[in-house]
Amino acid sequence: MKIIFIGPQGSGKGTQASLLAKKLNIPHISTGDLLRNAKGQLKQEIDSYINKGDLLPDELMLKILKQRISESDCKKGFILDGFPRNLKQVELLNSITDIDKIILIHISDKEAIKRISGRVNCEKCKANYNLLTSPKPKNPKICDKCGGRLIQRADDNEQAVKKRLSIYHKETEPILDYYEDKFLTINGEQSIDEIKEDINELI
Ligand code: AMP
């Protein structure tokens, strides 16, 4: 099964994509994580886009994604989180694979900004936390799971977040018109478990 998760920053799509991927035993491909973990000569170029909150050029993004989905663990399917982000990327995706389901997790901009400003993750094991919502770490600076240091992403500052949300409305939301009735909408302003249940019911 090939699934796309769409939603604004902070909607929890990464968390839900990861839970569903475990349930279906297929990989969760977050293009943001893929780019943040990139190594080698492209690293500097990639970081220059990410740190400003800008999107990477579509062709470059596709090249990186195409390589990832050609790996053997993607044979049974995968969950895409963060791609496609605009209509051009939908077109590029159509040229390399078919998609079975699209899940939209909806939250307001106000909620998105609140959630992102509290978002931190572990430098070492990458576990995600939120200092304002949930899951809250016991100590705001230390990972509950491995004791690593909790840090904020460089693009989770207010200026970059606002830019990323405006790109989401202008460029990503029109994708939904393209997929029309193929996408399922979930209310993202619920608890992680409630959202998970809604998704499991629909899948
Ligand atoms: P995310 O973790 O999904 O918020 O992505 C973080 C950053 O990675 C974005 O602000 C972009 O700079 C870059 N990025 C992630 N996915 C894409 C994509 N599909 N197209 C272009 N840039 C992307």
Side-chain angles (χ1 to χ4, degrees):
M1 173 121 61
K2 294 173 189 163
I3 302 171
I4 293 174
F5 269 76
I6 295 182
Q9 286 70 24
S11 59
K13 65 181 160 43
T15 303
Q16 295 298 335
S18 165
L19 289 169
L20 186 61
K22 272 196 200 110
K23 185 174 181 241
L24 300 177
N25 201 19
I26 51 177
H28 162 211
I29 304 175
S30 150
T31 47
D33 285 347
L34 207 57
L35 299 172
R36 278 185 290 276
N37 295 331
K39 295 194 174 70
Q41 55 186 30
L42 284 177
K43 174 99 186 119
Q44 216 180 347
E45 187 187 350
I46 290 173
D47 283 352
S48 73
Y49 291 104
I50 293 186
N51 293 343
K52 280 187 282 174
D54 287 331
L55 292 183
L56 261 76
D58 299 324
E59 301 286 350
L60 174 60
M61 185 67 246
L62 186 81
K63 192 175 140 200
I64 296 167
L65 180 70
K66 200 171 166 186
Q67 198 173 10
R68 176 65 188 91
I69 65 176
S70 70
E71 288 174 23
S72 60
D73 62 336
C74 293
K75 275 200 189 105
K76 278 196 316 179
F78 46 80
I79 299 185
L80 287 184
D81 158 16
F83 190 97
R85 279 252 214 320
N86 57 36
L87 284 167
K88 177 70 188 169
Q89 292 187 0
V90 170
E91 208 180 283
L92 292 171
L93 185 63
N94 287 342
S95 72
I96 58 167
T97 191
D98 295 319
I99 296 297
D100 302 299
K101 285 192 196 306
I102 294 110
I103 298 173
L104 166 70
I105 305 196
H106 183 265
I107 60 167
S108 67
D109 280 10
K110 198 174 151 206
E111 181 70 14
I113 291 167
K114 183 180 140 203
R115 288 185 186 182
I116 292 172
S117 55
R119 195 155 77 168
V120 289
N121 79 319
C122 174
E123 207 174 31
K124 233 159 109 191
C125 75
K126 311 287 173 214
N128 294 310
Y129 298 95
N130 199 302
L131 304 178
L132 302 173
T133 58
S134 74
K136 263 191 201 158
K138 290 193 191 93
N139 178 323
K141 293 195 174 130
I142 296 171
C143 177
D144 289 354
K145 292 184 183 137
C146 78
R149 199 164 65 104
L150 297 182
I151 50 168
Q152 190 178 41
R153 267 169 53 173
D155 60 347
D156 277 352
N157 63 77
E158 196 177 331
Q159 202 183 5
V161 169
K162 284 191 174 150
K163 191 194 256 183
R164 283 155 63 211
L165 277 175
S166 104
I167 295 176
Y168 174 79
H169 291 305
K170 213 167 105 205
E171 298 191 28
T172 308
E173 269 178 350
I175 291 177
L176 300 172
D177 295 332
Y178 171 83
Y179 286 120
E180 282 184 330
D181 49 359
K182 260 195 176 174
F183 71 87
L184 311 162
T185 304
I186 306 280
N187 171 11
E189 294 191 17
Q190 310 181 80
S191 70
I192 293 177
D193 277 345
E194 284 166 333
I195 300 174
K196 186 176 91 177
E197 273 168 32
D198 281 1
I199 292 173
N200 288 343
E201 256 171 46
L202 289 171
I203 285 284

PDB file of all heavy atoms in Angstrom, residues 9 13 30-33 35-36 46 49-51 53-58 61 81-86 89 119 153 155 164, ligand 1:
ATOM      1  N   GLN A   9       2.428  22.095   9.024  1.00  0.00           N
ATOM      2  CA  GLN A   9       3.479  21.845  10.007  1.00  0.00           C
ATOM      3  C   GLN A   9       2.811  21.728  11.385  1.00  0.00           C
ATOM      4  O   GLN A   9       1.934  22.529  11.703  1.00  0.00           O
ATOM      5  CB  GLN A   9       4.473  23.016  10.032  1.00  0.00           C
ATOM      6  CG  GLN A   9       5.408  23.079   8.847  1.00  0.00           C
ATOM      7  CD  GLN A   9       4.730  23.455   7.548  1.00  0.00           C
ATOM      8  OE1 GLN A   9       3.676  24.093   7.545  1.00  0.00           O
ATOM      9  NE2 GLN A   9       5.315  23.087   6.430  1.00  0.00           N
ATOM     10  N   LYS A  13       1.362  14.799  11.486  1.00  0.00           N
ATOM     11  CA  LYS A  13       1.374  13.791  10.417  1.00  0.00           C
ATOM     12  C   LYS A  13       2.587  12.870  10.514  1.00  0.00           C
ATOM     13  O   LYS A  13       2.482  11.698  10.177  1.00  0.00           O
ATOM     14  CB  LYS A  13       1.217  14.417   9.030  1.00  0.00           C
ATOM     15  CG  LYS A  13       2.340  15.303   8.587  1.00  0.00           C
ATOM     16  CD  LYS A  13       2.021  15.848   7.206  1.00  0.00           C
ATOM     17  CE  LYS A  13       2.828  17.080   6.889  1.00  0.00           C
ATOM     18  NZ  LYS A  13       4.232  17.114   7.232  1.00  0.00           N
ATOM     19  N   SER A  30       9.843  10.340   5.593  1.00  0.00           N
ATOM     20  CA  SER A  30       9.644  11.770   5.811  1.00  0.00           C
ATOM     21  C   SER A  30      10.709  12.479   4.969  1.00  0.00           C
ATOM     22  O   SER A  30      11.907  12.287   5.204  1.00  0.00           O
ATOM     23  CB  SER A  30       9.829  12.091   7.294  1.00  0.00           C
ATOM     24  OG  SER A  30      10.324  13.401   7.454  1.00  0.00           O
ATOM     25  N   THR A  31      10.260  13.268   3.991  1.00  0.00           N
ATOM     26  CA  THR A  31      11.269  13.916   3.141  1.00  0.00           C
ATOM     27  C   THR A  31      12.085  14.920   3.955  1.00  0.00           C
ATOM     28  O   THR A  31      13.270  15.100   3.705  1.00  0.00           O
ATOM     29  CB  THR A  31      10.630  14.595   1.907  1.00  0.00           C
ATOM     30  OG1 THR A  31       9.513  15.366   2.317  1.00  0.00           O
ATOM     31  CG2 THR A  31      10.225  13.580   0.875  1.00  0.00           C
ATOM     32  N   GLY A  32      11.471  15.546   4.973  1.00  0.00           N
ATOM     33  CA  GLY A  32      12.218  16.471   5.833  1.00  0.00           C
ATOM     34  C   GLY A  32      13.363  15.736   6.522  1.00  0.00           C
ATOM     35  O   GLY A  32      14.509  16.196   6.527  1.00  0.00           O
ATOM     36  N   ASP A  33      13.065  14.547   7.095  1.00  0.00           N
ATOM     37  CA  ASP A  33      14.112  13.759   7.774  1.00  0.00           C
ATOM     38  C   ASP A  33      15.169  13.295   6.775  1.00  0.00           C
ATOM     39  O   ASP A  33      16.361  13.322   7.063  1.00  0.00           O
ATOM     40  CB  ASP A  33      13.509  12.524   8.456  1.00  0.00           C
ATOM     41  CG  ASP A  33      12.765  12.889   9.733  1.00  0.00           C
ATOM     42  OD1 ASP A  33      12.924  14.038  10.208  1.00  0.00           O
ATOM     43  OD2 ASP A  33      12.013  12.038  10.229  1.00  0.00           O
ATOM     44  N   LEU A  35      16.117  14.744   4.135  1.00  0.00           N
ATOM     45  CA  LEU A  35      16.995  15.872   3.801  1.00  0.00           C
ATOM     46  C   LEU A  35      17.888  16.266   4.969  1.00  0.00           C
ATOM     47  O   LEU A  35      19.072  16.551   4.784  1.00  0.00           O
ATOM     48  CB  LEU A  35      16.163  17.081   3.358  1.00  0.00           C
ATOM     49  CG  LEU A  35      15.312  16.864   2.111  1.00  0.00           C
ATOM     50  CD1 LEU A  35      14.391  18.056   1.882  1.00  0.00           C
ATOM     51  CD2 LEU A  35      16.187  16.646   0.888  1.00  0.00           C
ATOM     52  N   ARG A  36      17.315  16.279   6.170  1.00  0.00           N
ATOM     53  CA  ARG A  36      18.125  16.657   7.339  1.00  0.00           C
ATOM     54  C   ARG A  36      19.252  15.647   7.578  1.00  0.00           C
ATOM     55  O   ARG A  36      20.302  16.001   8.081  1.00  0.00           O
ATOM     56  CB  ARG A  36      17.245  16.777   8.598  1.00  0.00           C
ATOM     57  CG  ARG A  36      16.517  18.115   8.692  1.00  0.00           C
ATOM     58  CD  ARG A  36      15.757  18.241  10.002  1.00  0.00           C
ATOM     59  NE  ARG A  36      14.605  17.350  10.037  1.00  0.00           N
ATOM     60  CZ  ARG A  36      13.420  17.637   9.517  1.00  0.00           C
ATOM     61  NH1 ARG A  36      13.214  18.798   8.962  1.00  0.00           N
ATOM     62  NH2 ARG A  36      12.425  16.765   9.569  1.00  0.00           N
ATOM     63  N   ILE A  46      21.332  21.687   0.446  1.00  0.00           N
ATOM     64  CA  ILE A  46      20.052  21.315   1.071  1.00  0.00           C
ATOM     65  C   ILE A  46      19.793  22.190   2.305  1.00  0.00           C
ATOM     66  O   ILE A  46      18.715  22.769   2.457  1.00  0.00           O
ATOM     67  CB  ILE A  46      20.060  19.812   1.464  1.00  0.00           C
ATOM     68  CG1 ILE A  46      20.027  18.938   0.206  1.00  0.00           C
ATOM     69  CG2 ILE A  46      18.890  19.481   2.374  1.00  0.00           C
ATOM     70  CD1 ILE A  46      20.211  17.453   0.470  1.00  0.00           C
ATOM     71  N   TYR A  49      18.388  25.739   1.872  1.00  0.00           N
ATOM     72  CA  TYR A  49      16.938  25.865   1.663  1.00  0.00           C
ATOM     73  C   TYR A  49      16.201  25.638   2.978  1.00  0.00           C
ATOM     74  O   TYR A  49      15.354  26.439   3.380  1.00  0.00           O
ATOM     75  CB  TYR A  49      16.441  24.828   0.642  1.00  0.00           C
ATOM     76  CG  TYR A  49      16.916  25.090  -0.767  1.00  0.00           C
ATOM     77  CD1 TYR A  49      17.944  24.332  -1.325  1.00  0.00           C
ATOM     78  CD2 TYR A  49      16.340  26.095  -1.542  1.00  0.00           C
ATOM     79  CE1 TYR A  49      18.387  24.567  -2.618  1.00  0.00           C
ATOM     80  CE2 TYR A  49      16.774  26.339  -2.834  1.00  0.00           C
ATOM     81  CZ  TYR A  49      17.797  25.572  -3.365  1.00  0.00           C
ATOM     82  OH  TYR A  49      18.231  25.812  -4.639  1.00  0.00           O
ATOM     83  N   ILE A  50      16.530  24.530   3.636  1.00  0.00           N
ATOM     84  CA  ILE A  50      15.790  24.155   4.853  1.00  0.00           C
ATOM     85  C   ILE A  50      15.851  25.242   5.919  1.00  0.00           C
ATOM     86  O   ILE A  50      14.829  25.601   6.499  1.00  0.00           O
ATOM     87  CB  ILE A  50      16.363  22.840   5.443  1.00  0.00           C
ATOM     88  CG1 ILE A  50      16.083  21.676   4.494  1.00  0.00           C
ATOM     89  CG2 ILE A  50      15.744  22.545   6.806  1.00  0.00           C
ATOM     90  CD1 ILE A  50      16.471  20.332   5.046  1.00  0.00           C
ATOM     91  N   ASN A  51      17.033  25.786   6.164  1.00  0.00           N
ATOM     92  CA  ASN A  51      17.172  26.727   7.275  1.00  0.00           C
ATOM     93  C   ASN A  51      16.405  28.026   7.071  1.00  0.00           C
ATOM     94  O   ASN A  51      16.047  28.711   8.020  1.00  0.00           O
ATOM     95  CB  ASN A  51      18.654  26.993   7.575  1.00  0.00           C
ATOM     96  CG  ASN A  51      19.333  25.745   8.103  1.00  0.00           C
ATOM     97  OD1 ASN A  51      18.655  24.810   8.538  1.00  0.00           O
ATOM     98  ND2 ASN A  51      20.650  25.702   8.053  1.00  0.00           N
ATOM     99  N   GLY A  53      13.465  27.942   5.501  1.00  0.00           N
ATOM    100  CA  GLY A  53      12.055  27.556   5.381  1.00  0.00           C
ATOM    101  C   GLY A  53      11.594  27.489   3.931  1.00  0.00           C
ATOM    102  O   GLY A  53      10.400  27.422   3.652  1.00  0.00           O
ATOM    103  N   ASP A  54      12.552  27.530   2.988  1.00  0.00           N
ATOM    104  CA  ASP A  54      12.194  27.421   1.560  1.00  0.00           C
ATOM    105  C   ASP A  54      12.134  25.967   1.131  1.00  0.00           C
ATOM    106  O   ASP A  54      12.808  25.117   1.699  1.00  0.00           O
ATOM    107  CB  ASP A  54      13.271  28.113   0.697  1.00  0.00           C
ATOM    108  CG  ASP A  54      13.197  29.614   0.809  1.00  0.00           C
ATOM    109  OD1 ASP A  54      12.093  30.138   1.059  1.00  0.00           O
ATOM    110  OD2 ASP A  54      14.250  30.267   0.663  1.00  0.00           O
ATOM    111  N   LEU A  55      11.361  25.693   0.067  1.00  0.00           N
ATOM    112  CA  LEU A  55      11.333  24.342  -0.480  1.00  0.00           C
ATOM    113  C   LEU A  55      12.539  24.113  -1.369  1.00  0.00           C
ATOM    114  O   LEU A  55      13.020  25.038  -2.028  1.00  0.00           O
ATOM    115  CB  LEU A  55      10.068  24.126  -1.326  1.00  0.00           C
ATOM    116  CG  LEU A  55       8.728  24.091  -0.599  1.00  0.00           C
ATOM    117  CD1 LEU A  55       7.613  23.790  -1.589  1.00  0.00           C
ATOM    118  CD2 LEU A  55       8.724  23.061   0.524  1.00  0.00           C
ATOM    119  N   LEU A  56      13.005  22.869  -1.422  1.00  0.00           N
ATOM    120  CA  LEU A  56      14.077  22.528  -2.373  1.00  0.00           C
ATOM    121  C   LEU A  56      13.500  22.546  -3.781  1.00  0.00           C
ATOM    122  O   LEU A  56      12.295  22.301  -3.947  1.00  0.00           O
ATOM    123  CB  LEU A  56      14.552  21.094  -2.113  1.00  0.00           C
ATOM    124  CG  LEU A  56      15.810  20.930  -1.287  1.00  0.00           C
ATOM    125  CD1 LEU A  56      15.471  21.178   0.166  1.00  0.00           C
ATOM    126  CD2 LEU A  56      16.365  19.531  -1.452  1.00  0.00           C
ATOM    127  N   PRO A  57      14.321  22.759  -4.802  1.00  0.00           N
ATOM    128  CA  PRO A  57      13.799  22.658  -6.170  1.00  0.00           C
ATOM    129  C   PRO A  57      13.200  21.260  -6.391  1.00  0.00           C
ATOM    130  O   PRO A  57      13.740  20.263  -5.897  1.00  0.00           O
ATOM    131  CB  PRO A  57      15.054  22.861  -7.027  1.00  0.00           C
ATOM    132  CG  PRO A  57      16.033  23.559  -6.136  1.00  0.00           C
ATOM    133  CD  PRO A  57      15.736  23.115  -4.743  1.00  0.00           C
ATOM    134  N   ASP A  58      12.069  21.224  -7.116  1.00  0.00           N
ATOM    135  CA  ASP A  58      11.317  19.971  -7.274  1.00  0.00           C
ATOM    136  C   ASP A  58      12.145  18.819  -7.835  1.00  0.00           C
ATOM    137  O   ASP A  58      12.054  17.688  -7.369  1.00  0.00           O
ATOM    138  CB  ASP A  58      10.099  20.213  -8.185  1.00  0.00           C
ATOM    139  CG  ASP A  58       9.158  21.235  -7.580  1.00  0.00           C
ATOM    140  OD1 ASP A  58       9.012  21.245  -6.338  1.00  0.00           O
ATOM    141  OD2 ASP A  58       8.575  22.036  -8.345  1.00  0.00           O
ATOM    142  N   MET A  61      14.499  17.421  -5.273  1.00  0.00           N
ATOM    143  CA  MET A  61      13.744  16.663  -4.275  1.00  0.00           C
ATOM    144  C   MET A  61      13.346  15.301  -4.834  1.00  0.00           C
ATOM    145  O   MET A  61      13.474  14.277  -4.166  1.00  0.00           O
ATOM    146  CB  MET A  61      12.497  17.476  -3.874  1.00  0.00           C
ATOM    147  CG  MET A  61      11.685  16.872  -2.762  1.00  0.00           C
ATOM    148  SD  MET A  61      12.544  16.846  -1.177  1.00  0.00           S
ATOM    149  CE  MET A  61      12.758  15.098  -0.912  1.00  0.00           C
ATOM    150  N   ASP A  81       5.572  11.298   3.810  1.00  0.00           N
ATOM    151  CA  ASP A  81       5.223  12.379   4.746  1.00  0.00           C
ATOM    152  C   ASP A  81       6.067  13.583   4.329  1.00  0.00           C
ATOM    153  O   ASP A  81       7.280  13.561   4.483  1.00  0.00           O
ATOM    154  CB  ASP A  81       5.556  11.854   6.160  1.00  0.00           C
ATOM    155  CG  ASP A  81       5.763  12.939   7.190  1.00  0.00           C
ATOM    156  OD1 ASP A  81       5.374  14.085   6.963  1.00  0.00           O
ATOM    157  OD2 ASP A  81       6.338  12.600   8.258  1.00  0.00           O
ATOM    158  N   GLY A  82       5.414  14.573   3.730  1.00  0.00           N
ATOM    159  CA  GLY A  82       6.166  15.766   3.300  1.00  0.00           C
ATOM    160  C   GLY A  82       6.359  15.844   1.793  1.00  0.00           C
ATOM    161  O   GLY A  82       6.975  16.783   1.295  1.00  0.00           O
ATOM    162  N   PHE A  83       5.832  14.878   1.086  1.00  0.00           N
ATOM    163  CA  PHE A  83       5.919  14.875  -0.377  1.00  0.00           C
ATOM    164  C   PHE A  83       4.654  14.226  -0.913  1.00  0.00           C
ATOM    165  O   PHE A  83       4.255  13.191  -0.393  1.00  0.00           O
ATOM    166  CB  PHE A  83       7.135  14.072  -0.855  1.00  0.00           C
ATOM    167  CG  PHE A  83       7.414  14.223  -2.327  1.00  0.00           C
ATOM    168  CD1 PHE A  83       8.362  15.117  -2.786  1.00  0.00           C
ATOM    169  CD2 PHE A  83       6.700  13.471  -3.256  1.00  0.00           C
ATOM    170  CE1 PHE A  83       8.611  15.267  -4.141  1.00  0.00           C
ATOM    171  CE2 PHE A  83       6.936  13.630  -4.612  1.00  0.00           C
ATOM    172  CZ  PHE A  83       7.889  14.527  -5.054  1.00  0.00           C
ATOM    173  N   PRO A  84       3.990  14.739  -1.945  1.00  0.00           N
ATOM    174  CA  PRO A  84       4.295  15.963  -2.677  1.00  0.00           C
ATOM    175  C   PRO A  84       3.865  17.223  -1.914  1.00  0.00           C
ATOM    176  O   PRO A  84       2.928  17.192  -1.132  1.00  0.00           O
ATOM    177  CB  PRO A  84       3.465  15.800  -3.954  1.00  0.00           C
ATOM    178  CG  PRO A  84       2.310  14.925  -3.555  1.00  0.00           C
ATOM    179  CD  PRO A  84       2.807  14.036  -2.476  1.00  0.00           C
ATOM    180  N   ARG A  85       4.546  18.328  -2.221  1.00  0.00           N
ATOM    181  CA  ARG A  85       4.277  19.588  -1.537  1.00  0.00           C
ATOM    182  C   ARG A  85       3.676  20.623  -2.483  1.00  0.00           C
ATOM    183  O   ARG A  85       3.336  21.721  -2.076  1.00  0.00           O
ATOM    184  CB  ARG A  85       5.587  20.174  -1.010  1.00  0.00           C
ATOM    185  CG  ARG A  85       6.067  19.582   0.313  1.00  0.00           C
ATOM    186  CD  ARG A  85       5.866  20.587   1.340  1.00  0.00           C
ATOM    187  NE  ARG A  85       6.649  20.855   2.505  1.00  0.00           N
ATOM    188  CZ  ARG A  85       7.245  20.085   3.366  1.00  0.00           C
ATOM    189  NH1 ARG A  85       7.356  18.832   3.184  1.00  0.00           N
ATOM    190  NH2 ARG A  85       7.799  20.576   4.433  1.00  0.00           N
ATOM    191  N   ASN A  86       3.595  20.308  -3.769  1.00  0.00           N
ATOM    192  CA  ASN A  86       2.973  21.223  -4.743  1.00  0.00           C
ATOM    193  C   ASN A  86       2.523  20.402  -5.966  1.00  0.00           C
ATOM    194  O   ASN A  86       2.820  19.197  -6.051  1.00  0.00           O
ATOM    195  CB  ASN A  86       3.946  22.350  -5.148  1.00  0.00           C
ATOM    196  CG  ASN A  86       5.241  21.800  -5.717  1.00  0.00           C
ATOM    197  OD1 ASN A  86       5.245  20.789  -6.396  1.00  0.00           O
ATOM    198  ND2 ASN A  86       6.357  22.462  -5.431  1.00  0.00           N
ATOM    199  N   GLN A  89       5.152  18.568  -8.000  1.00  0.00           N
ATOM    200  CA  GLN A  89       5.629  17.332  -7.368  1.00  0.00           C
ATOM    201  C   GLN A  89       4.623  16.192  -7.528  1.00  0.00           C
ATOM    202  O   GLN A  89       5.012  15.024  -7.602  1.00  0.00           O
ATOM    203  CB  GLN A  89       5.956  17.580  -5.888  1.00  0.00           C
ATOM    204  CG  GLN A  89       7.160  18.485  -5.698  1.00  0.00           C
ATOM    205  CD  GLN A  89       7.623  18.613  -4.251  1.00  0.00           C
ATOM    206  OE1 GLN A  89       7.059  18.023  -3.337  1.00  0.00           O
ATOM    207  NE2 GLN A  89       8.665  19.411  -4.038  1.00  0.00           N
ATOM    208  N   ARG A 119       7.974  22.443  19.897  1.00  0.00           N
ATOM    209  CA  ARG A 119       8.506  21.168  19.414  1.00  0.00           C
ATOM    210  C   ARG A 119      10.025  21.041  19.639  1.00  0.00           C
ATOM    211  O   ARG A 119      10.777  21.942  19.296  1.00  0.00           O
ATOM    212  CB  ARG A 119       8.210  21.112  17.919  1.00  0.00           C
ATOM    213  CG  ARG A 119       8.355  19.780  17.297  1.00  0.00           C
ATOM    214  CD  ARG A 119       7.530  19.677  16.080  1.00  0.00           C
ATOM    215  NE  ARG A 119       8.101  20.365  14.927  1.00  0.00           N
ATOM    216  CZ  ARG A 119       7.653  20.200  13.690  1.00  0.00           C
ATOM    217  NH1 ARG A 119       6.624  19.432  13.461  1.00  0.00           N
ATOM    218  NH2 ARG A 119       8.219  20.838  12.696  1.00  0.00           N
ATOM    219  N   ARG A 153      14.530  22.397  16.152  1.00  0.00           N
ATOM    220  CA  ARG A 153      14.981  22.451  14.758  1.00  0.00           C
ATOM    221  C   ARG A 153      15.280  23.883  14.346  1.00  0.00           C
ATOM    222  O   ARG A 153      14.588  24.810  14.764  1.00  0.00           O
ATOM    223  CB  ARG A 153      13.862  21.923  13.857  1.00  0.00           C
ATOM    224  CG  ARG A 153      13.972  20.468  13.552  1.00  0.00           C
ATOM    225  CD  ARG A 153      12.741  19.930  12.911  1.00  0.00           C
ATOM    226  NE  ARG A 153      12.302  20.665  11.732  1.00  0.00           N
ATOM    227  CZ  ARG A 153      11.307  20.259  10.946  1.00  0.00           C
ATOM    228  NH1 ARG A 153      10.670  19.142  11.229  1.00  0.00           N
ATOM    229  NH2 ARG A 153      10.950  20.951   9.897  1.00  0.00           N
ATOM    230  N   ASP A 155      14.629  25.356  11.666  1.00  0.00           N
ATOM    231  CA  ASP A 155      13.534  26.015  10.939  1.00  0.00           C
ATOM    232  C   ASP A 155      12.243  26.045  11.761  1.00  0.00           C
ATOM    233  O   ASP A 155      11.184  26.323  11.234  1.00  0.00           O
ATOM    234  CB  ASP A 155      13.310  25.352   9.571  1.00  0.00           C
ATOM    235  CG  ASP A 155      12.939  23.877   9.672  1.00  0.00           C
ATOM    236  OD1 ASP A 155      13.097  23.297  10.777  1.00  0.00           O
ATOM    237  OD2 ASP A 155      12.481  23.315   8.673  1.00  0.00           O
ATOM    238  N   ARG A 164       6.740  28.762   6.199  1.00  0.00           N
ATOM    239  CA  ARG A 164       6.380  27.391   5.826  1.00  0.00           C
ATOM    240  C   ARG A 164       4.864  27.208   5.776  1.00  0.00           C
ATOM    241  O   ARG A 164       4.341  26.537   4.895  1.00  0.00           O
ATOM    242  CB  ARG A 164       7.027  26.401   6.800  1.00  0.00           C
ATOM    243  CG  ARG A 164       8.516  26.220   6.500  1.00  0.00           C
ATOM    244  CD  ARG A 164       9.307  25.778   7.718  1.00  0.00           C
ATOM    245  NE  ARG A 164       8.904  24.485   8.209  1.00  0.00           N
ATOM    246  CZ  ARG A 164       8.965  24.131   9.501  1.00  0.00           C
ATOM    247  NH1 ARG A 164       9.406  24.979  10.408  1.00  0.00           N
ATOM    248  NH2 ARG A 164       8.598  22.934   9.864  1.00  0.00           N
TER     249      ARG A 164
HETATM  250  P1  AMP B   1       9.406  19.107   7.043  1.00  0.00           P
HETATM  251  O1  AMP B   1      10.203  18.341   8.040  1.00  0.00           O
HETATM  252  O2  AMP B   1       8.462  18.239   6.243  1.00  0.00           O
HETATM  253  O3  AMP B   1       8.731  20.325   7.622  1.00  0.00           O
HETATM  254  O4  AMP B   1      10.465  19.655   5.955  1.00  0.00           O
HETATM  255  C1  AMP B   1      11.520  20.499   6.344  1.00  0.00           C
HETATM  256  C2  AMP B   1      12.091  21.218   5.147  1.00  0.00           C
HETATM  257  O5  AMP B   1      12.619  20.255   4.207  1.00  0.00           O
HETATM  258  C3  AMP B   1      11.097  22.029   4.322  1.00  0.00           C
HETATM  259  O6  AMP B   1      10.842  23.304   4.872  1.00  0.00           O
HETATM  260  C4  AMP B   1      11.839  22.094   2.981  1.00  0.00           C
HETATM  261  O7  AMP B   1      12.921  23.000   3.041  1.00  0.00           O
HETATM  262  C5  AMP B   1      12.415  20.698   2.866  1.00  0.00           C
HETATM  263  N1  AMP B   1      11.474  19.770   2.219  1.00  0.00           N
HETATM  264  C6  AMP B   1      10.839  18.697   2.782  1.00  0.00           C
HETATM  265  N2  AMP B   1      10.040  18.078   1.901  1.00  0.00           N
HETATM  266  C7  AMP B   1      10.163  18.775   0.744  1.00  0.00           C
HETATM  267  C8  AMP B   1       9.576  18.659  -0.544  1.00  0.00           C
HETATM  268  N3  AMP B   1       8.657  17.711  -0.812  1.00  0.00           N
HETATM  269  N4  AMP B   1       9.947  19.548  -1.493  1.00  0.00           N
HETATM  270  C9  AMP B   1      10.849  20.509  -1.257  1.00  0.00           C
HETATM  271  N5  AMP B   1      11.417  20.701  -0.066  1.00  0.00           N
HETATM  272  C10 AMP B   1      11.093  19.841   0.938  1.00  0.00           C
END
